[in-house]
Amino acid sequence: DSGVTQTPKHLITATGQRVTLRCSPRSGDLSVYWYQQSLDQGLQFLIQYYNGEERAKGNILERFSAQQFPDLHSELNLSSLELGDSALYFCASSVGLPSNNEQFFGPGTRLTVL
Amino acid sequence: KNEVEQSPQNLTAQEGEFITINCSYSVGISALHWLQQHPGGGIVSLFMLSSGKKKHGRLIATINIQEKHSSLHITASHPRDSAVYICAVPDYGGSQGNLIFGKGTKLSVKP
């Protein structure tokens, strides 16, 4: 158990819908990361928050948004869903910055868009 | 932008064999990460290393900073080692040191 929790574990929805994925980092970790893993693209970095502030963006679509709350939990919002958004979404956390700190991954949310 | 290449893409071994997975990257880095993804999908961080060698149980990771190359070795492989092994390095461009990932090596260890 990494100490990072994600809910829900599975999500099935229809095209055009909006969903929210939730992540709680390990106690004491200030950085939260969101990743997408699809069959054809592999693991891709979406966005990082550090102590409540957005720090870096990766390959995140404009239809996707995220935030980190004062208690450091984070939510990833996916809207106007398309079939291609079906993927595993992972949250991870670390004490500090990404390049020099081990990251601890949550169990993931499997999103299926029908 | 850093680029990560892993080899081989797929690897099948017999129980007890010595396994080597390779990772090369294009831009100098401060640290490299090895991750393990279980068949159920969960991801575990195995190593983060910036120089030399690290060992944890039957797993050994090495890195050569000058050659921009890292290897993950598994000694006395066991069927429970069957998983996807992923190498990741920081991208110091637009994503400010966030990780980019290799495509992974799928390891299957047969009893």
Side-chain angles (χ1 to χ4, degrees), chain A residues 103-114:
Chain A
Q103 294 188 23
F104 298 87
F105 286 77
T109 293
R110 186 174 294 277
L111 174 66
T112 303
V113 182
L114 301 175

Side-chain angles (χ1 to χ4, degrees), chain A:
Chain A
D1 183 0
S2 68
V4 179
T5 61
Q6 283 187 255
T7 55
K9 197 164 184 170
H10 300 276
L11 200 45
I12 301 174
T13 188
T15 53
Q17 295 298 304
R18 181 179 192 274
V19 297
T20 297
L21 312 184
R22 183 188 167 105
C23 167
S24 291
R26 285 190 329 153
S27 177
D29 284 357
L30 297 178
S31 277
V32 169
Y33 314 84
W34 286 98
Y35 298 102
Q36 180 192 56
Q37 186 179 40
S38 57
L39 279 174
D40 55 343
Q41 293 288 336
L43 263 170
Q44 290 197 93
F45 164 67
L46 294 179
I47 195 164
Q48 180 210 353
Y49 282 84
Y50 180 80
N51 202 21
E53 300 288 328
E54 181 188 301
R55 183 177 178 271
K57 277 185 172 180
N59 299 318
I60 189 165
L61 299 171
E62 284 191 14
R63 300 183 284 109
F64 295 1
S65 65
Q67 54 185 325
Q68 188 179 30
F69 294 87
D71 66 353
L72 300 179
H73 91 269
S74 179
E75 292 180 356
L76 178 67
N77 301 296
L78 315 177
S79 61
S80 303
L81 284 168
E82 302 175 359
L83 295 176
D85 297 327
S86 295
L88 264 171
Y89 291 85
F90 288 100
C91 165
S93 72
S94 69
V95 169
L97 298 178
S99 53
N100 295 317
N101 287 278
E102 186 178 8
Q103 294 188 23
F104 298 87
F105 286 77
T109 293
R110 186 174 294 277
L111 174 66
T112 303
V113 182
L114 301 175

Side-chain angles (χ1 to χ4, degrees), chain B residues 10-83:
Chain B
N10 293 284
L11 185 52
T12 300
Q14 288 298 127
E15 184 172 355
E17 284 186 4
F18 181 83
I19 305 288
T20 295
I21 298 170
N22 296 299
C23 175
S24 297
Y25 52 93
S26 57
V27 177
I29 57 171
S30 54
L32 178 144
H33 302 246
W34 280 105
L35 310 172
Q36 179 192 54
Q37 185 166 28
H38 298 289
I43 296 176
V44 174
S45 173
L46 297 176
F47 295 103
M48 186 185 72
L49 67 165
S50 54
S51 65
K53 179 162 88 171
K54 282 192 176 179
K55 185 174 190 286
H56 185 242
R58 294 180 295 104
L59 300 178
I60 303 166
T62 64
I63 189 167
N64 185 319
I65 295 292
Q66 287 73 32
E67 294 188 4
K68 298 186 179 64
H69 180 270
S70 175
S71 293
L72 178 68
H73 306 285
I74 305 175
T75 62
S77 60
H78 189 276
R80 66 175 173 265
D81 297 325
S82 297

